[in-house]
Amino acid sequence: MSAPTSNPMITDIFVAGARKGWNIATTSTLPNVLMAFVLIKALEITGALKGLALVFGPLMGLFGLPGEAAAVLIGGWMSMGGGVGVAVALFDQGILTGTHLAILAPAIYLMGSQIQYAGRILGVVGTAAKRIPLMIGISVINAFIAMLLMRVIL
């Protein structure tokens, strides 16, 4: 005879989920956000943030964003947590406003973490290498379209 299966209590399910969430936050999200704050500070100290703003100012201006917003997109392209961290760091410094964050948010998620996932997923499932740039390009184009739409909406 098999032992009767018992349904777990809702509190046990909640606690197990909270543990998993805590582990994700402390081992993945928090380090990415912290790295982003350090990166922005390093860029600011070296003057590279001003250079980034100068180079990307015209492009970011199309979306109603300052040139420094390109750092958010670059950070988000490498890691969504990093992109969010860069956005928060620039918001904290007064470079980005709430409206800027609303314009950038969809782009972070539409092209987020592509660098991380290109090798982890696309390579493992056997995606032809020649198709990967096209796939990345489509995501980037979608992100830029979303920023244009957000600018119109806001």
Side-chain angles (χ1 to χ4, degrees):
M1 261 190 164
S2 64
T5 58
S6 64
N7 291 334
M9 292 188 57
I10 189 73
T11 53
D12 294 334
I13 295 170
F14 175 83
V15 170
R19 282 190 183 120
K20 287 179 185 176
W22 178 258
N23 287 336
I24 290 170
T26 57
T27 62
S28 180
T29 305
L30 189 60
N32 283 328
V33 172
L34 181 61
M35 177 269 318
F37 272 96
V38 171
L39 176 67
I40 288 300
K41 197 62 174 173
L43 290 173
E44 184 182 30
I45 290 169
T46 62
L49 189 59
K50 287 185 184 193
L52 191 72
L54 185 64
V55 170
F56 288 101
L59 176 62
M60 293 293 99
L62 296 173
F63 308 104
L65 300 168
E68 293 91 344
V72 174
L73 298 178
I74 294 166
W77 193 47
M78 292 187 273
S79 158
M80 278 193 270
V84 170
V86 170
V88 171
L90 292 174
F91 178 79
D92 186 52
Q93 293 180 4
I95 295 170
L96 296 180
T97 66
T99 300
H100 295 145
L101 295 178
I103 292 169
L104 287 163
I108 293 170
Y109 293 101
L110 285 168
M111 63 181 216
S113 300
Q114 286 187 334
I115 300 301
Q116 284 183 357
Y117 298 143
R120 288 184 191 168
I121 298 170
L122 298 177
V124 172
V125 298
T127 302
K130 67 181 182 180
R131 292 192 177 142
I132 293 174
L134 176 63
M135 295 169 79
I136 290 173
I138 290 169
S139 295
V140 171
I141 290 167
N142 285 340
F144 278 49
I145 291 169
M147 288 191 302
L148 283 173
L149 288 174
M150 288 302 290
R151 182 175 186 198
V152 169
I153 291 169
L154 298 173

